[in-house]
């Protein structure tokens, strides 16, 4: 689980430093993100500096003793640490920026976001459900909780944690019950940024949400921890936020083909036949985005599954939407699913 933050000291240079020093500093960054940020006498951000900026300065007859503050790119795109990150990161990606400085009110750099690792920065908390017994995968799950089963040499749940991190989601909770000690040990390192929430008994997909303390964002993502998916969290969030929905559920296309002619009828009278019809549906994919206020509607300690909560919201007149998944979605619920997931990840690793 890699961080999207980068060492500030390695990427900053004083405005009165020379071109010669800047060339040396950039050379030391070879293989990394080769951008320096120029800071003034008070440590405030003044601009950015790349190898291209230095070469253009030399071509324009600047000598190697020339101060970088006079040739850096001003102003450079930055992000205030107290503003919403999502839109600025999206803008930076569109402009091809790979390293985005986060500054405080005085203009001092407090963080550098590596946009090669950080896909976006969504204003979401996350809750992953990891309390199930995985009974259909026995005997594999007799001594190992399903989220820790390895696919392509890596625990299933870690794919989802890494995906959340790459979307800038840092406040992550995992609900645990069955073989909870193993999951608690797996996430014991504070650096992983995951808090385990213990269910005293099985409370269903949504019932355990009432036990989660420390939610901070206005919206959260809730998902099963035993999924592998290429769901675009950013696009799902855009739809969820712009639609005004109370809850948005990710949906996977599901097709049913009937190998017989189906009768159309009125009572016992046949009015026609449809030969071997195909029906297309959207099925619940086990990933939900919802407003934080939904959590306050869930009674603490009571069992509640996702379909029941969705039905309750609809009955209240709240808006519930779906977001179709365009890509991979594997629910690892059976031995065949597990084999397929390993084959899928094995193929992906061989292509790298």
């Amino acid at each position: 689980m890699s961080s999207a933050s980068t060492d500030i000291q390695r990427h900053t240079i004083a405005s009165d430093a020379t071109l010669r020093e800047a060339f040396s500093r950039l050379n030391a960054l070879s293989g990394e993100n080769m951008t320096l940020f120029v800071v003034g006498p008070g440590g405030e951000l003044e601009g950015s500096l790349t190898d291209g900026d230095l070469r253009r300065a030399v071509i324009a007859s600047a000598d190697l003793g020339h101060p970088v503050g006079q040739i850096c790119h001003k102003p450079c795109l930055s992000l205030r640490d107290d503003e919403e990150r999502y839109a600025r990161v999206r803008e930076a990606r569109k402009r091809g920026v790979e390293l985005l400085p986060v500054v405080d009110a005085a203009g001092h750099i407090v963080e550098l976001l590596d946009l090669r690792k950080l896909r976006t920065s969504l204003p979401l908390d996350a809750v992953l459900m990891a309390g199930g017994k995985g009974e259909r995968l026995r005997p594999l799950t007799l001594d190992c909780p399903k989220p820790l089963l390895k696919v392509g040499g890596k625990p299933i749940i870690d794919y989802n944690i890494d995906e959340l991190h790459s979307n800038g989601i840092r406040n992550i909770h995992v609900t645990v019950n069955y073989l909870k000690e193993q999951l608690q040990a797996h996430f014991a390192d504070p650096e992983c940024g995951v808090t385990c929430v213990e269910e005293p008994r099985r409370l269903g997909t949504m019932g355990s949400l009432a036990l989660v303390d420390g939610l901070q964002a206005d919206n959260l993502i809730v998902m099963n921890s035993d999924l592998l998916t290429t769901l675009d969290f950013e696009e799902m969030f855009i739809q969820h936020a712009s639609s005004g929905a109370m809850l948005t559920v990710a949906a996977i296309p599901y097709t049913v083909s009937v190998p017989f002619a189906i009768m159309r009828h009125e009572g016992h009278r046949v009015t026609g036949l449809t030969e071997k019809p195909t029906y297309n549906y959207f099925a619940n994919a086990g990933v939900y985005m919802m407003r934080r206020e939904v959590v306050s509607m869930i009674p603490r300690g009571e069992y509640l599954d996702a379909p029941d909560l969705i039905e309750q919201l609809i009955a209240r007149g709240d808006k519930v939407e779906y977001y179709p998944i365009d890509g991979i979605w594997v629910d690892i619920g059976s031995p065949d699913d597990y084999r397929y997931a390993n084959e899928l990840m094995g193929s992906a690793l061989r292509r790298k």
Side-chain angles (χ1 to χ4, degrees), residues 45 78-82 101-111:
L45 175 65
S78 63
L79 168 71
R80 278 278 298 269
D81 63 349
D82 58 352
V102 181
V103 299
D104 61 18
H108 301 143
I109 300 174
V110 294
E111 189 178 3

Side-chain angles (χ1 to χ4, degrees), residues 19 23 26 35-36 48-59 71-73:
L19 268 65
F23 272 120
L26 284 174
T35 302
L36 292 172
S48 62
L49 190 67
T50 65
D51 181 65
D53 295 321
L54 294 175
R55 285 186 285 106
R56 283 187 289 273
V58 171
I59 291 171
I71 59 98
C72 67
H73 182 74

Side-chain angles (χ1 to χ4, degrees), residues 323-344:
Y323 176 83
I325 295 176
D326 180 16
I328 295 170
W329 179 83
V330 182
D331 177 14
I332 305 174
S334 70
D336 286 343
D337 296 328
Y338 186 55
R339 281 191 291 271
Y340 173 66
N342 273 286
E343 291 169 3
L344 189 69

Side-chain angles (χ1 to χ4, degrees), residues 161-279:
I161 297 294
D162 288 347
E163 188 65 17
L164 292 171
H165 282 168
S166 75
N167 281 272
I169 301 170
R170 290 291 179 269
N171 188 24
I172 302 173
H173 302 260
V174 174
T175 63
V176 298
N177 182 291
Y178 177 67
L179 299 177
K180 60 182 182 292
E181 295 82 6
Q182 293 185 40
L183 284 156
Q184 290 166 338
H186 184 70
F187 293 117
D189 185 352
E191 291 295 317
C192 72
V194 175
T195 301
C196 287
V197 178
E198 186 176 336
E199 290 181 283
R201 61 184 182 283
R202 290 188 64 242
L203 294 173
T205 306
M206 296 299 177
S208 59
L209 281 182
L211 304 177
V212 178
D213 294 322
L215 295 176
Q216 301 165 0
D218 291 335
N219 291 277
L220 66 150
I221 182 169
V222 178
M223 63 185 296
N224 296 334
S225 62
D226 53 2
L227 300 174
L228 289 179
T229 181
T230 56
L231 166 64
D232 191 325
F233 290 151
E234 182 179 34
E235 290 301 322
M236 184 176 177
F237 173 74
I238 290 172
Q239 177 184 312
H240 173 71
S242 63
S243 70
M246 186 68 75
L247 183 147
T248 300
V249 55
I252 190 74
Y254 189 78
T255 300
V256 178
S257 297
V258 181
F260 310 107
I262 297 299
M263 289 185 288
R264 301 189 299 277
H265 61 90
E266 296 175 358
H268 289 283
R269 181 186 174 189
V270 176
T271 60
L273 294 173
T274 303
E275 185 67 29
K276 298 180 180 178
T278 297
Y279 300 99

